Amino acid sequence: MSDIGYQPPEQAKPSTHHAPDGQRLSMAEALPERFLRWFQKKGWDLHSHQFAMLDAARHHQSALLVAPTGGGKTLAGFLPSLITLADKANILEPPKASLHTLYISPLKALAADIERNLMLPITEMDLPLRAEMRTGDTCASDRQRQRQNPPDILITTPESLQLMLAWDDADHMFGALDTVILDELHALAGSKRGDLLALLLARLRCFNPDLRVVGLSATIATPDHLRGWLHPDPNRVRIIHGQASPKADLTLLDKADTIPWAGHSANYAIPDIYQHIKDAEHTLVFVNTRAQAEILFQQLWRINDDNLTIGLHHGSLSREQRQRIEAHMAAGKLRAVIATSSLDLGIDWADVDLVIQVGAPKSTSRLMQRIGRSGHRYDQVSRAVLIPSHRFEVLECLAAMHDVAEGLLDDPPDYDGGLDILAQHLVGLAIHAPFDADDIFAEIKTAWPYRHLTRDDFDETLTFLTTGGYALKAYEKFHKLKPGKDGLYRMASRSVATQWRLNAGVIVETQTMKVDQRGVGRLGEIEEYFVNSLVPGDSFMFAGRILRFQGIRKAGIVDVVASTDTEPKVPAYAGGRLPLTSNLADRIRDMMGQSDAWGHFPLALRQWLSTQSRKSSLPDSDSLLVETFPRGGKFYMVIYGFEGRNAHQTLGMLVTRRMERLGLKPIGFVATDYAIAVWSLKRVDIPDQLLSADMMGDDLEEWMLESSMLKRAFRVVATIAGLLEKRLPGASKTGRQMTINSDLIYDVLLRHQPDHMLIRATRQEAARGLTDIRRLSDMLTRFSGRIKAKHLNRASPLALPLMLEVGREVVTSSAVEDALAELEQELLSEVMKDDSDLALSLDPALPLQPHLLI
């Protein structure tokens, strides 16, 4: 059953809705006869939010619909367009073919799913209209036909829309566009793809100032924050709320005797996961990284004595592999799919009756989105099981479950739009047609993330595109645009358009290589640096298979065959970790500091926290807990920030710099989402002097200039802005070539023009994600003068997981399990001296690599 408006026949009843003027509309009055008969045949009723969306369309209002998963958002968004297009088709003189409604999806998989669901009412009501999809997977002949003869409804992604808007006849294609539907808007807002989307919407409004934009979202805490994405005047956007869905049935796997202290693999729970899959009809198992998905699939396959049909789905698999899994799941042919965020959004598999989240979700909204894949109907209860990987994740899972029960969701971050994305967009505008700078500046300012854009920044971006800037002006290859005698900006040469189309987009991934298995074909792509670590005969797991590396063909294809090796390597993927959100971090602090609320905690967790309270103190929302203690000839400082891995890694870099200046001789640090542990040769007596907010000034500036992190950020920014071109006609640069070119240009700019637009955009990129500077700064300011320092004789129970992460520095790859087990017992005998009330266990999975300063 589709997500386009299900309500069971026994609940269907004559529906009325209050119109704005106080009149009551019946379903018969709201729907044309053909649509009314279709609803009645289905036994469906119009929900109140669907009435409201029809009313907004009648008044040509932009609207934001916030409704639970399975609540009929898709139909609510499309129904006004279907009715309008059906009415137009009744006119004796057929209208000229033109695009009426544009649906923009954040995922190609979701776009394909929406197309299937939309065709249901179109086909069953025999509506005389065309609805088609256009993504990177659409064949060239279909793309050409759509350009010459646009469908009535087009389903696409931001990246495909970007390419279409650069056509010289884009105004013909989109000039009569009436409605834009933005599905899962919260998933794009606050991201670089969101910046691109906002610029594209501004362009569409230029073609049709009366454009109506509809946003659909299931998980957003403050809907007002998304209004500006739909109209330059947020007050003109109508917010419509759907009816609340039944409370989700969430359970936490509680295995007090085996829950590990550290690690990320959840090995201890593999038999439980398998049993849950066996007991359910159809299960979606979500993990947070592609590597975890591959590992979990292999672990389940090893114990699959019942020959259950289990699939694997993540973004590095080939299109054919992903589409095959999607089709089999939609047809009910799979008992389970192991997936990453590639299946987070909107996929409509109504027969899924269980979702398993392996590892903490990192975001309440993400958890809501994922559990909504289960019981994907308006009247059904979503059922999910959460399986934490270690002790801290038990706390995080409980915090997320509490927020789901209370309806406390996350808001997307609100960042200023990136100048690198602006630069790419301006080139696309010039490819469409020459433009006037004043007109385009005014247009750009209507894009919500760019509402604070200054004219100086805009002009400097144009200068970069026309001359490369002072430091690069001698290089003609960097000149993308040129001003004409008429004052309009246009392409500097025809080759600009070719290169732009090859490299457009804001998703800059690590260089990958295609993997082909002999006798099978293309499996997907793995990252180049991992391939460079392989020698012929090495085995690795990928696409749910164990493969043996044969070599690299001339075309850069990774040649593999099947293998039976029992200890394969696991491909690593850059940027795979999901960040812990601020709201969830705050909830964890609150829960830890309120012992009267521990009654529903698992026994092992209660014992852990109560012992921590006796031996040291507990983190809370009013202070920042910092512990110091000696061990093994070194001195440790543990800071319980709960601000996420990126913020803690930045804090580690800054704190160790200060420690070095104070003569404390820091050696290294390790950071998790929950805390940071720093070890040194001298004791930290006054943590306050290391954690003042002023470190966000000169200390941060010095570190960023010295850190390779800025160079990594520059590669992303320079690629998006068009300074670096990854793809050339008939060829692509290797990751090494991109790195060398990027680093050379970065050094030149930093030396000769440190205020260059791209350098400033790089700092913005680093602050936005890689370092989480804003979040770290907020924490240091919030806890200024409220640091709770505890000087201990030995590590505390809460520090134990961090100490096990630190243990990795002395462990060789051939002795990981034995060494970690020995270290665990040593730590436990120290930490729990005089206590024997904790059930203890350790996952043999590898912990994180610490940052070593020597």
Side-chain angles (χ1 to χ4, degrees):
M1 186 62 64
S2 170
D3 175 32
I4 61 173
Y6 174 81
Q7 182 147 332
E10 62 271 22
Q11 294 186 14
K13 56 186 178 181
S15 176
T16 59
H17 171 70
H18 285 284
D21 59 3
Q23 295 178 342
R24 294 171 65 87
L25 294 178
S26 68
M27 189 165 156
E29 292 172 311
L31 294 175
E33 180 64 25
R34 182 188 305 190
F35 288 80
L36 179 62
R37 289 198 306 270
W38 182 70
F39 268 81
Q40 291 173 338
K41 184 178 180 179
K42 291 286 185 182
W44 293 354
D45 188 23
L46 272 180
H47 302 306
S48 60
H49 58 272
Q50 293 169 334
F51 272 113
M53 289 289 281
L54 287 170
D55 184 72
R58 280 193 292 267
H59 292 83
H60 205 72
Q61 286 180 294
S62 292
L64 172 64
L65 172 59
V66 182
T69 298
K73 290 189 303 298
T74 305
L75 182 60
F78 277 116
L79 186 57
S81 295
L82 294 178
I83 291 174
T84 298
L85 289 166
D87 287 344
K88 283 185 177 181
N90 291 330
I91 301 174
L92 293 178
E93 183 178 346
K96 184 179 179 181
S98 63
L99 181 62
H100 178 276
T101 296
L102 183 68
Y103 169 95
I104 302 177
S105 162
L107 296 175
K108 286 189 285 187
L110 176 57
D113 188 67
I114 292 297
E115 182 189 33
R116 286 193 297 268
N117 289 334
L118 181 59
M119 291 311 298
L120 177 69
I122 292 175
T123 302
E124 292 185 350
M125 286 188 280
D126 194 24
L127 299 179
L129 57 90
R130 288 167 49 215
E132 298 182 5
M133 182 174 67
R134 183 191 180 95
T135 68
D137 296 338
T138 304
C139 67
S141 60
D142 284 346
R143 293 200 299 268
Q144 185 62 30
R145 176 181 52 75
Q146 289 168 350
R147 182 173 182 176
Q148 296 173 348
N149 184 24
D152 301 287
I153 298 174
L154 184 64
I155 301 166
T156 191
T157 61
E159 290 74 19
S160 291
L161 176 59
Q162 179 186 27
L163 294 173
M164 288 187 284
L165 285 175
W167 293 341
D168 56 8
D169 59 349
D171 48 349
H172 167 74
M173 174 84 168
F174 298 100
L177 183 65
D178 179 86
T179 299
V180 175
I181 302 172
L182 308 177
D183 203 356
E184 309 290 0
L185 177 56
H186 62 279
L188 291 172
S191 69
K192 294 178 84 73
R193 294 182 75 212
D195 293 351
L196 174 63
L197 174 63
L199 292 170
L200 301 178
L201 290 173
R203 174 93 300 218
L204 291 173
R205 279 192 292 265
C206 179
F207 293 153
N208 181 7
D210 198 32
L211 185 67
R212 194 175 81 91
V213 182
V214 172
L216 308 178
S217 179
T219 53
I220 180 70
T222 313
D224 277 347
H225 291 176
L226 293 183
R227 269 181 159 162
W229 288 80
L230 307 180
H231 196 281
D233 180 1
N235 293 324
R236 295 180 61 180
V237 176
R238 181 172 171 182
I239 295 181
I240 298 170
H241 291 275
Q243 295 168 306
S245 59
K247 292 287 186 181
D249 177 10
L250 299 183
T251 57
L252 177 74
L253 182 68
D254 179 13
K255 300 193 72 174
D257 56 333
T258 54
I259 183 74
W261 289 100
H264 302 279
S265 65
N267 285 341
Y268 76 100
I270 299 302
D272 301 272
I273 296 172
Y274 183 78
Q275 188 62 47
H276 278 297
I277 293 173
K278 187 176 176 181
D279 292 342
E281 290 294 326
H282 302 284
T283 303
L284 277 178
V285 183
F286 283 108
V287 295
N288 292 336
T289 70
R290 286 168 283 185
Q292 289 172 338
E294 292 281 356
I295 293 170
L296 180 58
F297 180 85
Q298 291 295 334
Q299 290 171 322
L300 289 173
W301 199 252
R302 289 192 193 105
I303 64 172
N304 189 10
D305 296 333
D306 300 281
N307 291 319
L308 303 181
T309 50
I310 301 174
L312 176 67
H313 193 289
H314 61 70
S316 291
L317 301 180
S318 69
R319 178 186 68 193
E320 293 77 16
Q321 297 272 341
R322 286 182 279 111
Q323 289 179 340
R324 187 179 304 117
I325 292 298
E326 293 163 18
H328 285 330
M329 195 64 178
K333 296 179 179 179
L334 295 178
R335 292 293 298 275
V337 174
I338 316 301
T340 62
S341 55
S342 60
L343 291 181
D344 269 4
L345 302 174
I347 305 301
D348 182 13
W349 293 334
D351 291 331
V352 171
D353 56 341
L354 178 66
V355 163
I356 300 175
Q357 169 66 45
V358 179
K362 305 303 172 188
S363 161
T364 305
S365 293
R366 181 179 298 110
L367 179 59
M368 284 282 286
Q369 195 79 50
R370 288 179 171 182
I371 64 178
R373 302 303 107 214
S374 162
H376 197 66
R377 293 173 177 167
Y378 190 74
D379 63 318
Q380 289 195 353
V381 173
S382 295
R383 192 165 63 92
V385 178
L386 277 63
I387 300 179
S389 298
H390 53 74
R391 302 268 169 143
F392 265 116
E393 284 197 351
V394 177
L395 275 168
E396 185 181 334
C397 287
L398 288 170
M401 291 170 67
H402 174 279
D403 284 359
V404 168
E406 297 296 323
L408 303 175
L409 303 176
D410 305 299
D411 280 321
D414 184 18
Y415 294 110
D416 288 336
L419 297 180
D420 51 341
I421 301 166
L422 175 61
Q424 184 182 114
H425 182 66
L426 290 175
V427 175
L429 295 181
I431 294 172
H432 164 66
F435 64 79
D436 177 81
D438 292 337
D439 291 343
I440 293 300
F441 176 68
E443 177 184 318
I444 299 298
K445 291 276 285 184
T446 68
W448 186 248
Y450 292 88
R451 62 193 184 279
H452 301 135
L453 180 70
T454 66
R455 185 60 193 245
D456 286 346
D457 281 345
F458 176 81
D459 288 341
E460 190 174 346
T461 304
L462 268 181
T463 299
F464 158 68
L465 293 172
T466 53
T467 69
Y470 169 77
L472 302 176
K473 63 182 179 181
Y475 301 92
E476 189 173 338
K477 63 177 291 187
F478 299 137
H479 303 175
K480 307 290 184 182
L481 306 181
K482 63 181 180 181
K485 294 180 180 180
D486 54 3
L488 303 181
Y489 285 83
R490 48 182 40 87
M491 288 183 292
S493 65
R494 290 188 176 182
S495 63
V496 169
T498 300
Q499 287 302 110
W500 183 88
R501 291 189 177 99
L502 284 172
N503 293 279
V506 299
I507 302 175
V508 180
E509 296 181 338
T510 303
Q511 186 73 26
T512 60
M513 301 181 70
K514 295 178 173 59
V515 180
D516 273 15
Q517 180 180 351
R518 295 181 187 177
V520 176
R522 182 67 41 81
L523 298 180
E525 299 182 1
I526 55 177
E527 298 191 357
E528 181 184 293
Y529 79 90
F530 175 75
V531 177
N532 290 337
S533 72
L534 300 174
V535 297
D538 281 352
S539 66
F540 63 96
M541 61 176 67
F542 180 66
R545 307 160 188 259
I546 306 299
L547 306 169
R548 186 171 71 245
F549 176 63
Q550 299 293 96
I552 301 175
R553 300 178 198 161
K554 288 184 179 180
I557 304 296
V558 180
D559 187 22
V560 298
V561 295
S563 171
T564 57
D565 195 339
T566 58
E567 295 185 3
K569 296 182 178 180
V570 182
Y573 300 91
R577 294 191 183 277
L578 300 170
L580 177 70
T581 61
S582 297
N583 289 349
L584 199 50
D586 291 342
R587 176 64 58 194
I588 296 171
R589 281 198 202 94
D590 290 343
M591 291 171 56
M592 295 182 75
Q594 298 174 7
S595 57
D596 58 345
W598 296 354
H600 66 287
F601 286 7
L603 175 62
L605 184 61
R606 295 201 305 271
Q607 292 174 335
W608 182 38
L609 296 180
S610 62
T611 309
Q612 169 70 19
S613 181
R614 291 197 308 271
K615 290 182 170 292
S616 174
S617 185
L618 285 165
D620 56 45
S621 56
D622 297 322
S623 60
L624 179 63
L625 175 63
V626 180
E627 295 175 338
T628 63
F629 49 85
R631 187 178 190 277
K634 296 188 283 289
F635 296 90
Y636 290 82
M637 176 175 64
V638 180
I639 306 165
Y640 299 95
F642 295 94
E643 294 297 341
R645 190 181 309 272
N646 288 344
H648 289 161
Q649 287 178 334
T650 302
L651 178 62
M653 293 293 186
L654 298 179
V655 164
T656 50
R657 290 178 69 89
R658 285 200 165 183
M659 292 175 68
E660 189 68 43
R661 288 203 302 269
L662 292 171
L664 297 175
K665 297 183 179 181
I667 301 172
F669 72 89
V670 66
T672 69
D673 276 324
Y674 316 103
I676 173 177
V678 183
W679 56 99
S680 58
L681 294 179
K682 291 192 175 182
R683 184 176 60 200
V684 175
D685 293 318
I686 310 175
D688 301 60
Q689 67 184 154
L690 296 175
L691 297 171
S692 57
D694 61 5
M695 74 163 57
M696 303 304 291
D698 292 342
D699 286 344
L700 177 64
E701 181 70 17
E702 291 173 8
W703 168 63
M704 291 185 73
L705 287 175
E706 297 172 4
S707 171
S708 61
M709 179 268 306
L710 270 191
K711 286 190 174 181
R712 294 197 303 271
F714 180 78
R715 284 198 292 275
V716 172
V717 165
T719 301
I720 292 174
L723 188 68
L724 299 175
E725 293 171 335
K726 184 175 181 178
R727 299 180 184 87
L728 302 170
S732 293
K733 292 181 181 177
T734 66
R736 179 174 174 79
Q737 290 172 325
M738 292 289 288
T739 297
I740 292 174
N741 293 345
S742 171
D743 290 354
L744 286 172
I745 296 173
Y746 176 79
D747 290 338
V748 168
L749 291 180
L750 204 59
R751 187 180 307 116
H752 298 289
Q753 195 179 354
D755 62 342
H756 191 280
M757 181 272 290
L758 287 185
I759 296 295
R760 291 192 292 111
T762 297
R763 293 175 181 274
Q764 180 190 35
E765 170 74 9
R768 186 169 177 166
L770 293 177
T771 60
D772 230 338
I773 289 173
R774 181 192 297 180
R775 191 164 169 184
L776 176 58
S777 178
D778 289 345
M779 183 196 78
L780 293 174
T781 301
R782 184 167 70 254
F783 293 129
S784 177
R786 293 190 289 160
I787 292 177
K788 182 166 53 177
K790 292 291 180 179
H791 300 288
L792 310 175
N793 294 325
R794 61 181 66 92
S796 71
L798 211 59
L800 176 58
L802 270 294
M803 297 301 291
L804 289 172
E805 304 284 11
V806 173
R808 170 69 185 278
E809 67 166 320
V810 296
V811 177
T812 62
S813 58
S814 61
V816 171
E817 293 187 24
D818 291 343
L820 281 178
E822 182 179 345
L823 176 62
E824 177 201 11
Q825 294 307 314
E826 290 178 9
L827 284 167
L828 289 174
S829 65
E830 298 171 14
V831 171
M832 301 312 302
K833 190 174 183 179
D834 305 323
D835 280 283
S836 58
D837 57 354
L838 288 185
L840 306 171
S841 177
L842 177 67
D843 187 342
L846 295 179
L848 298 177
Q849 175 67 49
H851 296 256
L852 298 180
L853 303 178
I854 56 175

